[in-house]
Amino acid sequence: HHSMSEHAVLPGQDVFEKQSKAKGVYCSLSGRLTYDMMYDKFSRVASESVSTSLENSARRDSATDIFPGEWMAEMALWVVWEHQGQLIARDTCELTKLDCEAVGRISETCSKGAIDLVRRFVVMLLALKRVNDPTTSPHSDCPLEA
């Protein structure tokens, strides 16, 4: 199918970077990935050479391990989305990418009622996420969990 593709990612390689336009939704198939909302490619050298223990602690707290079977950047299916952090491979990883533009073209062939149903589902899912964990920012690429 043209809307899905598989990708191999090497250790240290970015899957996506903070503030880049999301073009797909990713599912980890194998390997270790880390998602970091504090990562900033422009200050990377400075933060690595002159970092305090407080900054290191904040960076560790901002990092989330992503495990096989988890989806990333799901919001990109429903809205124009800019990545809120960096996803980086810690090991050699295999990912499936669902192309958002291809899904959009497919959805154009669906009835208006079906599209409205999906939109309502997403709104309810986000509301449920907020009720279950009000401290979680809805502005994250991390998996949407009910």
Side-chain angles (χ1 to χ4, degrees), residues 70 72-73 135-136 144:
E70 291 187 315
M72 293 295 294
T135 63
T136 302
L144 298 174

Side-chain angles (χ1 to χ4, degrees), residues 6 18 23-24 29 43 53 55 60 76-77 80 95 97 104-105 109 111 126-127 143-145:
E6 290 190 11
K18 186 175 184 174
K23 297 179 180 179
L29 300 175
S43 65
S53 60
E55 288 170 338
R60 277 192 304 276
L77 279 175
V80 175
L95 303 168
K97 177 183 176 186
R105 286 191 299 275
T109 65
S111 71
L126 290 173
L144 298 174
E145 296 177 14

Side-chain angles (χ1 to χ4, degrees), residues 129-139:
K129 178 179 178 167
R130 178 63 81 180
V131 166
N132 286 344
D133 187 1
T135 63
T136 302
S137 170
H139 305 294

